[in-house]
Structure formats: structure tokens, C-alpha cells
Amino acid sequence: MKEIYLKEIAHGRSGDKGDTSNVCVFARKPEYYAIIKREVTVEKVREYFGGMVKGSVTRYEVPSLNGFNFVMKHALGGGATLSLRLDSLGKSMGSAFMRMKIHVGDEEV
Amino acid sequence: MNKVIVGGGQGFWGDSNDAAIHMVKKSNINYMACDYLAELTLSIMERQKLKNPERGYAGDFIGLLDQCGKEAFDRKIRIISNAGGMNIEGAVNAIRQVAERQGMHGYKIGYVQGDDMKSQIPELLRQGVDFKNIDDVGDFKDIQGDILNANVYFGHEPIVECLEGGADVTVTGRAADSALFLAPCVHELGWRADDWENLSRGIMAGHLLECGGQGAGGNYQYDWRGVPDMDQLGFPIAEIGNDDFIVTKAPGCGGVICEQSVKEQFLYEVHDPANYITPDVNVDISHATLTQAGENRVRVGNVHGKPRPDTLKLSIGYHAGYKVVTYLSFAWPDAYEKAQYAAEILRKKMERKGMKYEDVNVSYVGLNALHLGVADMSGDLIKNQNEVVLRIAIRTKEKSEAAKIIPEISPLQLNGPPGASFFGGRSHVQEVIGLWPTLIPRDAVKLTSRIVEVK
């Protein structure tokens, strides 16, 4: 087993709606889809973001695109207008997500 | 027509005009739709209109028409935009002036009114509409007295009416972004208002186009280094018929249309992929497929639709206090430690002045201002940082409270840790606008479509 950044096997983009952040995550190769499904669980995402995401985390699976959509509520410090964060729109939430460390088998990646 | 070709000319108010002009000159589009409205934009426009009744719309759109409206008219490319914002008549007048100046005789300007629901709120309350926040926060009574604007996200139908009336350009207020793109599909291909399968494809084509450059390799994580000529990034174009649809871009511009670039935009700002709710249709993209169909051509398939909801989203903007944002930069050595100490000084000053605030955010630009708690703040990297920018943002109820911190910032250059440099000029107090998303019955909304012709 080895530890890698999620960015090694995935890419995606973050968007906002009010105080909700969505990060879509796609496997860089089809065979990585199962790894992401196994490693990037709702529990792990909630723990990873800690106090940054104050509401629920939901994971939607879109296997035909080898992708997932993570929807995180109360995640932008109040939303674009009320938020005091530099990145009030959460444009960098996607890259923050990709910084998550995951475990993969030596043969897997 | 068995296929309609629509381009996405703008991604937001403040976007570059270059891609739109290139598209009009160099591509084979039939329509160009330009999205100017983000969630907050209408509240800002309402503020502008209160200061000056002539304003309150996206003036950028008038500039764009000045640059390429005549050519679009000559080439029979019809333009649709929600640039009307909070002052649709003002936008129409400005467009008319451009068209007259450029000698565009017979130019038809369509416009849609009725999304501004602010004056109808008391009556709707009497009828039992509760304006419950769809994010389940707060009590409507608490914001009712502070409302700036209330605009309903409407669908394609009134825009289609303008197109049926021959509008060369159509301006609206808060049309849903993707409705601007769906309308030409419905108009040209004759889709029925309950043809959920076709409508869902028109909406997804719009969804992929409505953010301009993001649909063509802008803000692209997969391989940003590999995007050709980002300095002249083209915006996406959709070819929509009665089957799958194609996303592409104009010849001779930068950017990339590939499976990965389309994917990143595909789920962007979508929540449940099986239920992407719009005013026109409830879209299901949970089994959608994307396939490369040529250079810079991606085919989108397996998009499905279900009946649209009986409610429409109403976005209410309200006055929510004030904020002040300040920046101070500190130099090596011990830049981070100095910045932290300066933050502590400011906190002590705030306390001594009895400053009342709602929320305060301290971050260090270059270290953790974007990634917050996820940022790596350990080790030599932080210790040896060449420079660190301290950023403090404070939100208050009263303007006078926010103002108290401003005179304390610049003196830190002389009265604080060494090597400080005031950054970004003197801070000022900004108004904070809150957003209250809610749902109202569809039949409470009355939209009207009109056309004026330039003689």
C-alpha cells in the first residue's frame, strides 16, 4: 500500500449554490473509478474537511462518466455574499478536495 | 431547421468579449446566448438602479452589441441575454441607441418582463405562500424588512415568444441560465413544452455553455497546461438536433473540447445528477455518456427528462449588514510569525474598542486563505516563507462598528512587527447582501414578452 494525493488519479471542478459547495470528481482512468469509490467515502470527506464543512455531505455516483458528485452543505462560510473567506465562491474547494490523501495498492496505480 | 447551432457568448457579468466576437465572425452559429447573472448579481444591479434609475442592467452587453451586434444582424445570428437584470427597459433603450447609431434598420429587440416579484410579496404572503428558505436556515420575518430584490428564475417560454415575433436580440431579467439556450432549440426544432426528453437535452447543452470559457478548457483541472492558446480561449458551441448533441468551438481560437473538459462542466453546480431541477424540465444525467466525435467535438448522449416542478425558484436578496476586509504583508524572516502577531494586536484593539461583530475571519494569503483547515501549515515551508499576507475580514451589523478597524491597519507599518507593508490600499466598509432562496407556485408568476423595432 502507498499513500497518494487524490489528484494523482482524479480531476474535477467545484461550484457553489448559496452555502452549498459541489465538487465533481472524475477518475483519470476508468480503472481508478473503483479506487475512488472505495477510498473517497462520505465519512472520509466529512473528516477531511473538518470545520470547513459544517453541514451534510452527499455522494452521488455517475458510473457512465466514471465520476462522482459530492454535495457539501454549509461549506462556504455562509455562501458567496455572507462569507468572509477569500474564496467566497469555493472555486478552490475542488483543489482542496484533490489534496486529500488516499491509500492505494502498489499494483493499483 | 433540423439542427440548431448555439454559442455561449458570456459566462458572467465582467467576462471577456473576445470569444463572443470571434464566434460571431468565425463560426456557423445560428444563435448566441450570453449569461450575465450570477446568484448575487441582481441585488448589486438593484443597488445601482437605486442610485441612478438609468442603470441596473449589464452595460457590458451594450458594449458587446456595439462591437459585434451589426455583424450578427447581417449574418442573421440572433442573440439572447439576461443582461436586462433589474432594468430591462433601460437595457432595451440602450440597445436601440446602438442599433440606430449603427444604422441597423428593422432590427427587432425582444424583451421579457415579470420576473421582479418584490412588490407581490405581501399579496403572496396573504395567499399563504410561506417563503421558506430552501436551505432550511432562518426565519423569513427576520429579513422581510430588508429585502432589496426578489426575482423568479423562469424558463424558456417567454423567450420563445420573442423569437416567434422575430426578435434579433432578446433581453430578459432572471431567466434561468440554461433557458436562454433552450429557447432557440424549442423555437427552431418545434419541441413541445412537455417533451421532457428533448427539453432535457436543450437544457444540458445550455448548462455546458452557460459558463463561457469553463466549457472549453478554462478553469480546467485535468490538464490545464495542455490547453492550447488560453490567451485566446474560445467559448463552447452546441449543435443540437433531435438526437444526441455535440459540443464544439469556433475554428481558429484557443481552448479544448474533449471528454475531460466537458465532464468537468457537466456536473458543475449540479446536485443530484438524477434530478437536476430547472424551470423547464427535471433532468436526469445519472447515466449520461460523453464520447469524442472528432477534434474539439464531444457527443453528449443518454440525457433524460422528467416533468418540470410546479414551483419556481425565487431568489430574494436582502441587506445583511457590513464587512471590512484588510490586508497587511510581512517579509522574511519569520514572516508568518509576524503576521500572526499583527493579527493578535488587531484583535486586542478590537476588544479594547468594544467592537461588535457577527463574524471574523483571519487567514494568511499564500498559506491557508484558500484551503483553510485543509492547508499544509507544517514544517520549513512555513518557517522560511519569503512573505505572508495577513488578511482579516470582519462582518458587522452596524456600519460604524466595521469602520472602527480601518484606522488601526495602516499604523501597524510603524507600530507593529518589522517589515510590514500595507497592501491593496485603505480598506473601506462594504455592504453585505444576503440571499434567500425559496419556492413559489408557478401560476403566481406572470411574464410578458414584447418587441420593439428599430426604424
Side-chain angles (χ1 to χ4, degrees):
Chain A
M1 292 290 270
K2 57 183 174 183
E3 197 176 53
I4 61 167
Y5 284 120
L6 177 60
K7 84 176 182 83
E8 313 286 332
I9 63 163
H11 67 106
R13 175 176 292 163
S14 49
D16 74 304
K17 257 199 182 75
D19 200 13
T20 301
S21 172
N22 97 281
V23 180
C24 50
V25 175
F26 301 97
R28 283 182 178 267
K29 290 180 182 172
E31 57 266 35
Y32 296 160
Y33 179 78
I35 304 175
I36 299 170
K37 189 168 170 174
R38 180 189 75 212
E39 291 292 317
V40 190
T41 60
V42 163
E43 292 70 31
K44 185 144 184 216
V45 171
R46 201 185 286 127
E47 187 194 331
Y48 174 70
F49 280 109
M52 207 168 157
V53 174
K54 298 193 188 308
S56 64
V57 175
T58 307
R59 181 177 86 173
Y60 297 99
E61 297 168 21
V62 188
S64 59
L65 300 178
N66 290 312
F68 302 85
N69 199 26
F70 289 87
V71 179
M72 306 182 282
K73 291 194 168 172
H74 305 298
L76 296 169
T81 62
L82 295 175
S83 179
L84 293 179
R85 293 181 189 172
L86 178 64
D87 182 19
S88 57
L89 293 169
K91 286 276 180 201
S92 68
M93 283 295 267
S95 63
F97 205 104
M98 293 299 150
R99 196 176 192 151
M100 183 187 290
K101 283 183 176 159
I102 58 166
H103 292 97
V104 294
D106 293 330
E107 303 300 310
E108 273 185 321
V109 176
Chain B
M1 209 181 265
N2 59 7
K3 185 173 79 172
V4 57
I5 306 176
V6 187
Q10 292 278 289
F12 68 105
W13 186 21
D15 207 348
S16 161
N17 285 349
D18 294 354
I21 295 166
H22 180 84
M23 198 177 261
V24 166
K25 287 181 191 291
K26 304 287 180 192
S27 78
N28 58 346
I29 53 171
N30 311 119
Y31 288 82
M32 181 167 76
C34 300
D35 176 25
Y36 284 91
L37 303 182
E39 279 190 308
L40 177 66
T41 315
L42 288 172
S43 304
I44 297 167
M45 287 174 164
E46 176 63 11
R47 273 280 178 249
Q48 289 191 341
K49 192 179 158 191
L50 287 173
K51 278 186 201 151
N52 178 353
E54 306 276 300
R55 295 180 66 193
Y57 60 87
D60 292 14
F61 182 59
I62 312 305
L64 177 65
L65 287 181
D66 208 14
Q67 289 171 287
C68 69
K70 174 80 163 64
E71 184 149 7
F73 183 45
D74 292 344
R75 298 192 60 196
K76 298 192 167 39
I77 296 168
R78 302 167 80 179
I79 299 177
I80 301 165
S81 176
N82 52 15
M86 294 304 296
N87 186 1
I88 291 152
E89 286 179 345
V92 169
N93 281 335
I95 292 168
R96 181 160 46 194
Q97 285 171 27
V98 168
E100 282 170 357
R101 198 171 61 238
Q102 299 215 15
M104 293 154 71
H105 305 295
Y107 191 60
K108 286 186 173 175
I109 307 166
Y111 59 103
V112 179
Q113 286 172 303
D115 63 298
D116 180 354
M117 303 288 289
K118 188 179 165 190
S119 63
Q120 292 163 65
I121 289 175
E123 176 56 28
L124 288 170
L125 275 168
R126 270 193 294 280
Q127 288 172 16
V129 177
D130 61 5
F131 296 99
K132 185 177 169 314
N133 188 312
I134 54 179
D135 289 333
D136 279 331
V137 283
D139 187 338
F140 184 63
K141 283 192 202 78
D142 295 339
I143 67 134
Q144 208 182 329
D146 295 317
I147 293 175
L148 292 169
N149 74 293
N151 293 74
V152 69
Y153 282 73
F154 64 86
H156 68 283
E157 286 150 319
I159 305 170
V160 173
E161 277 184 46
C162 291
L163 297 177
E164 282 168 358
D168 296 294
V169 62
T170 300
V171 276
T172 73
R174 188 59 280 187
D177 308 349
S178 50
L180 306 173
F181 299 83
L182 173 62
C185 302
V186 168
H187 175 61
E188 296 290 347
L189 304 172
W191 295 345
R192 295 187 323 271
D194 63 348
D195 183 353
W196 312 122
E197 289 290 286
N198 272 325
L199 296 182
S200 67
R201 290 185 304 102
I203 286 292
M204 281 318 286
H207 175 77
L208 290 169
L209 268 54
E210 77 197 27
C211 292
Q214 276 197 174
N219 187 23
Y220 177 46
Q221 208 178 56
Y222 178 76
D223 177 25
W224 62 270
R225 286 187 188 89
V227 178
D229 304 319
M230 220 187 255
D231 59 298
Q232 41 182 341
L233 192 77
F235 287 0
I237 291 169
E239 300 172 0
I240 308 144
N242 286 306
D243 198 350
D244 298 350
F245 68 91
I246 295 276
V247 183
T248 184
K249 66 184 181 73
C253 60
V256 63
I257 306 283
C258 65
E259 192 188 320
Q260 291 84 0
S261 68
V262 176
K263 265 184 183 177
E264 287 193 15
Q265 187 60 18
F266 205 64
L267 295 183
Y268 173 77
E269 292 182 353
V270 166
H271 289 177
D272 177 358
N275 293 286
Y276 176 46
I277 297 168
T278 76
D280 293 304
V281 56
N282 180 1
V283 183
D284 179 359
I285 47 170
S286 59
H287 297 88
T289 55
L290 304 175
T291 39
Q292 199 77 40
E295 195 188 352
N296 288 312
R297 290 177 71 78
V298 167
R299 182 180 300 280
V300 181
N302 221 14
V303 171
H304 297 291
K306 296 179 274 191
R308 67 186 195 182
D310 293 330
T311 50
L312 289 174
K313 181 173 158 183
L314 182 75
S315 185
I316 301 176
Y318 62 95
H319 169 70
Y322 299 88
K323 73 174 175 183
V324 63
V325 182
T326 62
Y327 295 91
L328 269 165
S329 23
F330 292 88
W332 185 92
D334 310 314
Y336 177 47
E337 201 182 331
K338 290 171 187 166
Q340 282 180 301
Y341 189 45
E344 194 185 320
I345 292 170
L346 285 171
R347 276 193 185 272
K348 283 183 176 165
K349 294 228 179 208
M350 283 162 63
E351 210 172 297
R352 202 166 300 143
K353 286 173 173 244
M355 192 174 151
K356 295 181 188 68
Y357 55 85
E358 301 287 292
D359 195 9
V360 59
N361 174 289
V362 177
S363 61
Y364 302 91
V365 181
L367 299 181
N368 69 350
L370 293 178
H371 283 185
L372 308 179
V374 170
D376 182 357
M377 296 287 282
S378 58
D380 289 348
L381 171 79
I382 303 295
K383 255 188 232 159
N384 291 321
Q385 198 76 10
N386 286 315
E387 57 229 353
V388 168
V389 180
L390 163 67
R391 178 182 184 274
I392 299 189
I394 301 160
R395 185 156 58 81
T396 63
K397 264 191 187 138
E398 302 301 328
K399 195 172 186 176
S400 54
E401 292 297 321
K404 283 181 184 173
I405 192 73
I406 291 173
E408 301 299 336
I409 312 294
S410 58
L412 277 172
Q413 294 174 101
L414 274 62
N415 306 344
S421 170
F422 197 30
F423 180 88
R426 191 176 167 88
S427 309
H428 58 278
V429 178
Q430 300 165 260
E431 187 189 7
V432 172
I433 297 166
L435 283 177
W436 186 274
T438 186
L439 299 173
I440 57 169
R442 187 181 282 275
D443 57 18
V445 181
K446 300 279 178 280
L447 299 156
T448 53
S449 306
R450 292 193 181 86
I451 289 180
V452 291
E453 188 172 341
V454 177
K455 297 293 170 204

